[in-house]
Amino acid sequence: QVKIDYWAHTDARTLYNPTNHVYFNLNSQLTETIDNHRLYLDSDFFGSLTEDVLPTGEKVAVAGTPFDFNHIEGRLLE
C-alpha cells in the first residue's frame, strides 16, 4: 500500500490542486514490466478539462470511461 497525504492552509479561498508523478515498479526484479500491477481508485467522478487543460468545474462520472478504476480483474469493489 502506498499512501500520500496532501494538505494546505490558506488565508483566502483558492484553488488547491496537488499532484504527484512518481512511477513505482513494485516487482522484485526491476527489469520486469508493470503489466501485473493493479490499480484501484475509490472515485466516482473526475474533473473535466478544456482543450487548454483548464478545469471546467464539471464533475464527470467515471463509469464506462478509461478513468474507471473501481474494478479489479472485472470485479466491482464495493
Side-chain angles (χ1 to χ4, degrees):
Q1 177 179 4
V2 175
K3 182 177 180 181
I4 301 172
D5 290 320
Y6 294 100
W7 63 271
H9 179 80
T10 65
D11 61 357
R13 288 182 58 132
T14 186
L15 176 65
Y16 177 61
N17 187 18
T19 189
N20 188 306
H21 297 279
V22 174
Y23 170 84
F24 294 98
N25 184 340
L26 305 176
N27 292 306
S28 60
Q29 298 295 319
L30 296 180
T31 57
E32 295 179 31
T33 69
I34 63 167
D35 293 341
N36 63 339
H37 287 39
R38 297 181 193 147
L39 176 65
Y40 170 72
L41 298 176
D42 186 13
S43 179
D44 295 324
F45 300 93
F46 67 91
S48 176
L49 301 175
T50 67
E51 289 183 16
D52 296 324
V53 196
L54 298 172
T56 66
E58 178 187 10
K59 292 181 182 177
V60 180
V62 299
T65 74
F67 301 108
D68 187 353
F69 293 98
N70 287 308
H71 300 76
I72 293 180
E73 295 181 2
R75 295 189 313 266
L76 177 62
L77 299 179
E78 297 182 26

Short mmCIF file of all heavy atoms in Angstrom, two decimals, residues 1-4 6 19-20 22 24 37-47 60-73 75-78:
data_model
loop_
_atom_site.label_atom_id
_atom_site.label_comp_id
_atom_site.label_asym_id
_atom_site.label_seq_id
_atom_site.Cartn_x
_atom_site.Cartn_y
_atom_site.Cartn_z
N GLN A 1 0.84 -1.17 0.00
CA GLN A 1 0.00 0.00 0.00
C GLN A 1 0.88 1.23 0.00
O GLN A 1 1.87 1.30 0.73
CB GLN A 1 -0.91 0.00 1.22
CG GLN A 1 -1.76 1.23 1.32
CD GLN A 1 -2.69 1.19 2.53
OE1 GLN A 1 -2.66 0.28 3.33
NE2 GLN A 1 -3.50 2.19 2.64
N VAL A 2 0.52 2.17 -0.82
CA VAL A 2 1.21 3.46 -0.87
C VAL A 2 0.18 4.51 -0.53
O VAL A 2 -0.92 4.53 -1.08
CB VAL A 2 1.80 3.74 -2.27
CG1 VAL A 2 2.39 5.13 -2.33
CG2 VAL A 2 2.82 2.68 -2.62
N LYS A 3 0.52 5.37 0.40
CA LYS A 3 -0.41 6.43 0.80
C LYS A 3 0.33 7.75 0.77
O LYS A 3 1.42 7.86 1.33
CB LYS A 3 -0.95 6.16 2.20
CG LYS A 3 -1.94 7.19 2.66
CD LYS A 3 -2.49 6.84 4.03
CE LYS A 3 -3.48 7.89 4.46
NZ LYS A 3 -4.02 7.63 5.78
N ILE A 4 -0.25 8.71 0.08
CA ILE A 4 0.32 10.05 0.02
C ILE A 4 -0.75 11.02 0.53
O ILE A 4 -1.86 11.05 0.00
CB ILE A 4 0.73 10.44 -1.42
CG1 ILE A 4 1.76 9.45 -1.95
CG2 ILE A 4 1.25 11.86 -1.46
CD1 ILE A 4 2.08 9.63 -3.41
N TYR A 6 -1.83 14.93 1.26
CA TYR A 6 -1.57 16.33 0.95
C TYR A 6 -2.45 17.19 1.84
O TYR A 6 -3.56 16.80 2.19
CB TYR A 6 -1.95 16.65 -0.51
CG TYR A 6 -1.11 15.94 -1.54
CD1 TYR A 6 -1.59 14.82 -2.17
CD2 TYR A 6 0.14 16.43 -1.89
CE1 TYR A 6 -0.83 14.18 -3.14
CE2 TYR A 6 0.90 15.80 -2.85
CZ TYR A 6 0.41 14.67 -3.47
OH TYR A 6 1.16 14.06 -4.43
N THR A 19 -0.51 17.29 -7.00
CA THR A 19 -0.34 16.13 -7.87
C THR A 19 0.98 15.47 -7.58
O THR A 19 1.84 16.03 -6.89
CB THR A 19 -0.45 16.51 -9.35
OG1 THR A 19 -0.48 15.31 -10.13
CG2 THR A 19 0.70 17.38 -9.79
N ASN A 20 1.13 14.26 -8.09
CA ASN A 20 2.37 13.51 -7.92
C ASN A 20 2.58 12.67 -9.16
O ASN A 20 1.67 12.00 -9.62
CB ASN A 20 2.26 12.63 -6.67
CG ASN A 20 3.57 11.99 -6.34
OD1 ASN A 20 4.17 11.32 -7.17
ND2 ASN A 20 4.02 12.17 -5.12
N VAL A 22 5.10 10.30 -9.47
CA VAL A 22 6.04 9.24 -9.13
C VAL A 22 5.67 7.96 -9.87
O VAL A 22 4.50 7.64 -10.03
CB VAL A 22 6.04 9.00 -7.61
CG1 VAL A 22 6.90 7.81 -7.24
CG2 VAL A 22 6.54 10.23 -6.88
N PHE A 24 6.15 3.86 -9.85
CA PHE A 24 6.53 2.75 -8.99
C PHE A 24 6.56 1.46 -9.80
O PHE A 24 5.60 1.14 -10.50
CB PHE A 24 5.52 2.56 -7.85
CG PHE A 24 5.50 3.69 -6.88
CD1 PHE A 24 4.55 4.68 -6.97
CD2 PHE A 24 6.44 3.76 -5.87
CE1 PHE A 24 4.52 5.72 -6.06
CE2 PHE A 24 6.43 4.80 -4.96
CZ PHE A 24 5.47 5.79 -5.06
N HIS A 37 0.71 -5.23 -12.38
CA HIS A 37 0.25 -4.31 -11.34
C HIS A 37 -1.26 -4.08 -11.48
O HIS A 37 -1.81 -4.14 -12.58
CB HIS A 37 0.96 -2.97 -11.44
CG HIS A 37 2.39 -2.99 -11.01
ND1 HIS A 37 3.25 -4.03 -11.27
CD2 HIS A 37 3.12 -2.08 -10.33
CE1 HIS A 37 4.43 -3.77 -10.77
NE2 HIS A 37 4.39 -2.58 -10.20
N ARG A 38 -1.90 -3.79 -10.37
CA ARG A 38 -3.34 -3.47 -10.36
C ARG A 38 -3.52 -2.10 -9.72
O ARG A 38 -2.84 -1.76 -8.76
CB ARG A 38 -4.11 -4.50 -9.56
CG ARG A 38 -4.03 -5.88 -10.13
CD ARG A 38 -4.84 -6.82 -9.28
NE ARG A 38 -4.53 -8.18 -9.66
CZ ARG A 38 -4.53 -9.19 -8.82
NH1 ARG A 38 -4.82 -8.99 -7.55
NH2 ARG A 38 -4.24 -10.39 -9.23
N LEU A 39 -4.47 -1.34 -10.24
CA LEU A 39 -4.76 -0.02 -9.69
C LEU A 39 -6.23 0.04 -9.31
O LEU A 39 -7.10 -0.33 -10.09
CB LEU A 39 -4.46 1.08 -10.72
CG LEU A 39 -4.81 2.50 -10.29
CD1 LEU A 39 -3.97 2.95 -9.10
CD2 LEU A 39 -4.64 3.46 -11.45
N TYR A 40 -6.51 0.48 -8.09
CA TYR A 40 -7.88 0.70 -7.64
C TYR A 40 -7.97 2.11 -7.09
O TYR A 40 -7.17 2.50 -6.24
CB TYR A 40 -8.27 -0.30 -6.56
CG TYR A 40 -9.58 0.05 -5.90
CD1 TYR A 40 -10.78 -0.11 -6.58
CD2 TYR A 40 -9.61 0.58 -4.62
CE1 TYR A 40 -11.98 0.23 -6.00
CE2 TYR A 40 -10.81 0.93 -4.03
CZ TYR A 40 -11.98 0.76 -4.72
OH TYR A 40 -13.17 1.11 -4.14
N LEU A 41 -8.91 2.89 -7.61
CA LEU A 41 -9.18 4.23 -7.11
C LEU A 41 -10.64 4.31 -6.71
O LEU A 41 -11.52 4.06 -7.53
CB LEU A 41 -8.89 5.30 -8.18
CG LEU A 41 -7.46 5.40 -8.68
CD1 LEU A 41 -7.37 6.43 -9.80
CD2 LEU A 41 -6.52 5.76 -7.56
N ASP A 42 -10.91 4.62 -5.47
CA ASP A 42 -12.27 4.73 -4.97
C ASP A 42 -12.81 6.12 -5.34
O ASP A 42 -12.84 7.02 -4.53
CB ASP A 42 -12.29 4.53 -3.46
CG ASP A 42 -13.69 4.48 -2.90
OD1 ASP A 42 -14.65 4.37 -3.67
OD2 ASP A 42 -13.84 4.56 -1.67
N SER A 43 -13.17 6.26 -6.61
CA SER A 43 -13.61 7.55 -7.11
C SER A 43 -14.73 7.35 -8.12
O SER A 43 -14.64 6.50 -9.00
CB SER A 43 -12.44 8.27 -7.78
OG SER A 43 -12.86 9.50 -8.29
N ASP A 44 -15.79 8.11 -7.98
CA ASP A 44 -16.93 8.01 -8.90
C ASP A 44 -16.92 9.10 -9.97
O ASP A 44 -17.66 9.01 -10.94
CB ASP A 44 -18.24 8.07 -8.12
CG ASP A 44 -18.41 6.89 -7.19
OD1 ASP A 44 -17.99 5.77 -7.56
OD2 ASP A 44 -18.93 7.07 -6.07
N PHE A 45 -16.11 10.13 -9.79
CA PHE A 45 -16.10 11.27 -10.71
C PHE A 45 -14.67 11.74 -10.97
O PHE A 45 -13.77 11.50 -10.18
CB PHE A 45 -16.90 12.45 -10.14
CG PHE A 45 -18.34 12.13 -9.89
CD1 PHE A 45 -18.76 11.69 -8.65
CD2 PHE A 45 -19.28 12.26 -10.90
CE1 PHE A 45 -20.09 11.38 -8.41
CE2 PHE A 45 -20.60 11.95 -10.67
CZ PHE A 45 -21.01 11.52 -9.43
N PHE A 46 -14.49 12.43 -12.09
CA PHE A 46 -13.24 13.14 -12.35
C PHE A 46 -13.59 14.52 -12.87
O PHE A 46 -14.70 14.76 -13.35
CB PHE A 46 -12.33 12.37 -13.32
CG PHE A 46 -12.86 12.25 -14.73
CD1 PHE A 46 -12.54 13.20 -15.70
CD2 PHE A 46 -13.66 11.19 -15.10
CE1 PHE A 46 -13.02 13.09 -17.00
CE2 PHE A 46 -14.15 11.06 -16.39
CZ PHE A 46 -13.83 12.02 -17.34
N GLY A 47 -12.64 15.43 -12.79
CA GLY A 47 -12.87 16.80 -13.22
C GLY A 47 -12.64 16.97 -14.71
O GLY A 47 -11.62 16.54 -15.24
N VAL A 60 -17.49 14.65 -13.98
CA VAL A 60 -17.91 13.65 -14.95
C VAL A 60 -17.83 12.27 -14.31
O VAL A 60 -16.83 11.95 -13.65
CB VAL A 60 -17.00 13.69 -16.20
CG1 VAL A 60 -17.43 12.66 -17.22
CG2 VAL A 60 -16.99 15.09 -16.80
N ALA A 61 -18.87 11.45 -14.47
CA ALA A 61 -18.88 10.10 -13.90
C ALA A 61 -17.81 9.25 -14.58
O ALA A 61 -17.65 9.29 -15.79
CB ALA A 61 -20.25 9.46 -14.08
N VAL A 62 -17.07 8.47 -13.78
CA VAL A 62 -16.01 7.62 -14.33
C VAL A 62 -16.55 6.36 -14.98
O VAL A 62 -15.89 5.76 -15.81
CB VAL A 62 -14.97 7.21 -13.25
CG1 VAL A 62 -14.29 8.43 -12.68
CG2 VAL A 62 -15.59 6.36 -12.17
N ALA A 63 -17.76 5.95 -14.62
CA ALA A 63 -18.33 4.69 -15.13
C ALA A 63 -18.31 4.65 -16.65
O ALA A 63 -18.75 5.57 -17.32
CB ALA A 63 -19.75 4.52 -14.62
N GLY A 64 -17.72 3.58 -17.21
CA GLY A 64 -17.68 3.39 -18.65
C GLY A 64 -16.61 4.20 -19.36
O GLY A 64 -16.59 4.25 -20.58
N THR A 65 -15.73 4.87 -18.60
CA THR A 65 -14.66 5.65 -19.21
C THR A 65 -13.31 5.00 -18.90
O THR A 65 -13.22 4.14 -18.01
CB THR A 65 -14.63 7.10 -18.66
OG1 THR A 65 -14.12 7.08 -17.33
CG2 THR A 65 -16.02 7.74 -18.69
N PRO A 66 -12.24 5.41 -19.58
CA PRO A 66 -10.91 4.89 -19.25
C PRO A 66 -10.44 5.29 -17.85
O PRO A 66 -9.45 4.77 -17.36
CB PRO A 66 -10.00 5.52 -20.31
CG PRO A 66 -10.90 5.90 -21.43
CD PRO A 66 -12.22 6.24 -20.79
N PHE A 67 -11.15 6.21 -17.20
CA PHE A 67 -10.79 6.66 -15.85
C PHE A 67 -11.49 5.87 -14.75
O PHE A 67 -11.43 6.25 -13.58
CB PHE A 67 -11.09 8.15 -15.69
CG PHE A 67 -10.35 9.00 -16.68
CD1 PHE A 67 -11.02 9.60 -17.73
CD2 PHE A 67 -8.99 9.18 -16.59
CE1 PHE A 67 -10.35 10.38 -18.66
CE2 PHE A 67 -8.30 9.95 -17.52
CZ PHE A 67 -8.98 10.56 -18.55
N ASP A 68 -12.18 4.81 -15.09
CA ASP A 68 -12.89 3.99 -14.10
C ASP A 68 -11.96 2.93 -13.55
O ASP A 68 -11.73 1.91 -14.18
CB ASP A 68 -14.13 3.35 -14.75
CG ASP A 68 -15.01 2.63 -13.73
OD1 ASP A 68 -14.61 2.52 -12.55
OD2 ASP A 68 -16.09 2.18 -14.12
N PHE A 69 -11.42 3.16 -12.37
CA PHE A 69 -10.55 2.21 -11.69
C PHE A 69 -11.23 1.64 -10.45
O PHE A 69 -10.58 1.27 -9.48
CB PHE A 69 -9.22 2.86 -11.32
CG PHE A 69 -8.40 3.23 -12.52
CD1 PHE A 69 -8.41 4.52 -13.01
CD2 PHE A 69 -7.64 2.28 -13.17
CE1 PHE A 69 -7.65 4.86 -14.13
CE2 PHE A 69 -6.88 2.61 -14.29
CZ PHE A 69 -6.89 3.90 -14.77
N ASN A 70 -12.58 1.56 -10.46
CA ASN A 70 -13.33 0.97 -9.37
C ASN A 70 -13.43 -0.54 -9.50
O ASN A 70 -14.14 -1.18 -8.74
CB ASN A 70 -14.76 1.56 -9.31
CG ASN A 70 -14.75 2.97 -8.77
OD1 ASN A 70 -14.18 3.24 -7.73
ND2 ASN A 70 -15.35 3.88 -9.50
N HIS A 71 -12.75 -1.12 -10.48
CA HIS A 71 -12.80 -2.55 -10.74
C HIS A 71 -11.39 -3.13 -10.70
O HIS A 71 -10.44 -2.46 -11.08
CB HIS A 71 -13.39 -2.84 -12.12
CG HIS A 71 -14.77 -2.32 -12.29
ND1 HIS A 71 -15.04 -0.99 -12.50
CD2 HIS A 71 -15.96 -2.94 -12.29
CE1 HIS A 71 -16.35 -0.82 -12.62
NE2 HIS A 71 -16.93 -1.99 -12.50
N ILE A 72 -11.28 -4.36 -10.25
CA ILE A 72 -10.04 -5.09 -10.33
C ILE A 72 -10.37 -6.45 -10.94
O ILE A 72 -11.24 -7.18 -10.44
CB ILE A 72 -9.38 -5.30 -8.96
CG1 ILE A 72 -8.92 -3.95 -8.39
CG2 ILE A 72 -8.19 -6.24 -9.07
CD1 ILE A 72 -8.26 -4.05 -7.05
N GLU A 73 -9.72 -6.77 -12.06
CA GLU A 73 -9.93 -8.04 -12.76
C GLU A 73 -11.41 -8.31 -13.02
O GLU A 73 -11.91 -9.39 -12.80
CB GLU A 73 -9.32 -9.19 -11.97
CG GLU A 73 -7.81 -9.13 -11.87
CD GLU A 73 -7.22 -10.28 -11.10
OE1 GLU A 73 -7.96 -11.16 -10.65
OE2 GLU A 73 -6.00 -10.29 -10.95
N ARG A 75 -14.04 -7.37 -11.42
CA ARG A 75 -14.92 -7.42 -10.25
C ARG A 75 -15.11 -6.01 -9.72
O ARG A 75 -14.15 -5.30 -9.45
CB ARG A 75 -14.33 -8.30 -9.16
CG ARG A 75 -14.23 -9.75 -9.55
CD ARG A 75 -13.83 -10.61 -8.34
NE ARG A 75 -12.73 -10.06 -7.60
CZ ARG A 75 -11.45 -10.37 -7.77
NH1 ARG A 75 -11.10 -11.22 -8.71
NH2 ARG A 75 -10.51 -9.85 -7.02
N LEU A 76 -16.36 -5.61 -9.54
CA LEU A 76 -16.65 -4.31 -8.94
C LEU A 76 -16.39 -4.39 -7.46
O LEU A 76 -16.85 -5.31 -6.78
CB LEU A 76 -18.12 -3.92 -9.18
CG LEU A 76 -18.59 -2.62 -8.55
CD1 LEU A 76 -17.80 -1.45 -9.13
CD2 LEU A 76 -20.06 -2.42 -8.76
N LEU A 77 -15.62 -3.47 -6.92
CA LEU A 77 -15.35 -3.43 -5.49
C LEU A 77 -16.34 -2.51 -4.82
O LEU A 77 -16.60 -1.42 -5.29
CB LEU A 77 -13.92 -2.95 -5.25
CG LEU A 77 -12.82 -3.81 -5.85
CD1 LEU A 77 -11.46 -3.21 -5.55
CD2 LEU A 77 -12.90 -5.22 -5.33
N GLU A 78 -16.89 -2.95 -3.73
CA GLU A 78 -17.85 -2.14 -3.01
C GLU A 78 -17.42 -1.95 -1.58
O GLU A 78 -16.77 -2.73 -1.00
CB GLU A 78 -19.22 -2.79 -3.04
CG GLU A 78 -19.76 -2.89 -4.46
CD GLU A 78 -21.14 -3.51 -4.51
OE1 GLU A 78 -21.87 -3.43 -3.53
OE2 GLU A 78 -21.47 -4.06 -5.55
#
